[in-house]
Amino acid sequence: MREEIMAPRSERGLQQEAAIKRLAERFSGQNMTYRITTLGCQMNAHDSEKLAGILSDAGFTEAEREEDADLVLYNTCCVRENAELKVYGRLGYLKGYKRRNPKMRIALCGCMMQEPTVVEKLNKSYPWVDLVFGTHNLYRFAELLEEMYDADRQVIELWDKADRIVEDLPSIRKHTFKASVNIMFGCDNFCTYCIVPYVRGRERSRKPEDILREIRTLADEGVREIELLGQNVNSYGKNLEEPVSFAKLLYEVSKIEGIDRIRFMTSHPKDLSDELIAAMRDCPKVCPHFHLPLQSGSDRILARMNRHYTKAQYLDIVRRLREAVPEIAVTTDIMTGFPGETEEDVEDTLSVIREARFDNAFTFIYSRRVGTPAASYPDQIPEETAKVWFDRIHKTLEDVMNARNTERIGKTLYVRAEEINSHDKSMLTGRSAENLLVHFKGDPSQIGRIIPVEIDEQMTYYLIGHPVGGPCNA
Ligand code: 5AD
Ligand code: SF4
């Protein structure tokens, strides 16, 4: 084993390990099951992999349905109100199941738990919830479970401030060939609509050596594709004792043998450096895909959102990315219905969509989040108006995506087969280097491999093609 892999485990990691062992002994022979539901972003999805890893080490197996699980866990999101309403709805539904199965325990964690009003409400009105913990308490999960099983009251553990990053939590991955790796936590940007900085805390970067050690271990386990995760990866490393740039990290990850694709999420346009664009151009393992949240195309709204860039600056970044990496796919996040937005502002957003020619986008209607500056702006937009604008944005996006995808017909994309197609078992579904969703004929033995696929058809949100001869793993 390499020396780095043998690095001493943190004290916290050891405490968690001991708690996992005690849980495994306590429930030995009881066939305990769990079901985790994850809402929100990739960070949450990755946190859930860690929670599942801890439960699996404690001897729990995954249940098919949460109604049958002994431990129901919700990893929540609070970025938009809808996700919160869904959790309350499910809790009401599960109350009846819990009455019938006294062994059932319900636990809630994630961003929503960092909101004081939510915890108050859970404590007062949802006493059948057994455990509540926040985004900074994940590494205490096994110990908290023990406390929950010992107590006959609701266990709540929340820290409003994260002072450490705990390394070496076990995790269960959905795919054997790809994995996500956190490179930083928190966000310091304070966009005026966003609750993330309040619930995820200040920006903290992991040390490059810890990240590289984790990726080497993953590569040894057979992982080929890595996604580096952070709320704002472009500012990675700035506040480390020995500062390092995100671009430098990409060069280092590129050197790791066995890894053939490197992706990352998310970038903030204001911090995008020429050094990063050069790294994208010069590192063949770094995939030609850039997720660059736009939010709005109007300078006036961008200023009110505290985004620190203009429409012209955003378009210039896209131009420079395309110049450096011609095949690059650019995707984005767009929001409409922000306080004070007008028809004219929406037109600006539509014009950026047409000029930037996005390959895909997540679109959102602004959701008022208590505690953020924009929540108290007087000029809130009626839901019906925001919906009309949302539909226009969607229609323009689809036109652009259709045009972009049509240009790909007849071209060969290198697609990593990820799974059997859910509708047609003779097809595989995968992601091209550009992160485009591609379906093609294939068999399960190809899953995990990179296959050259010639594109025959485009369907706005995905492509259909057929495998062609030629170099694999290109
Ligand atoms: N309302 C709607 N969308 C939001 N987002 C963040 N906060 C809000 C909010 N209050 C969107 C942004 C961000 C994405 C992850 O979620 O577009 O980029
Ligand atoms: Fe929220 Fe802005 Fe930070 Fe993204 S950059 S997490 S939108 S505050």
Side-chain angles (χ1 to χ4, degrees), residues 41 79-80 193-196 231 266 291 293 295 307 333-335 362 364-369 372:
C41 66
V79 168
R80 284 167 293 276
Y193 50 81
C194 186
I195 201 161
V196 167
Q231 299 292 353
T266 290
H291 187 72
Q295 312 303 358
R307 293 288 290 175
D333 292 349
I334 297 174
M335 183 191 308
F362 296 112
F364 307 103
I365 288 182
Y366 166 75
S367 172
R368 192 175 183 172
R369 306 282 54 211
T372 61

Side-chain angles (χ1 to χ4, degrees), residues 454-466:
E454 187 179 315
I455 303 305
D456 301 315
E457 243 184 291
Q458 77 85 15
M459 308 295 285
T460 316
Y461 292 94
Y462 60 90
L463 301 164
I464 301 172
H466 63 276

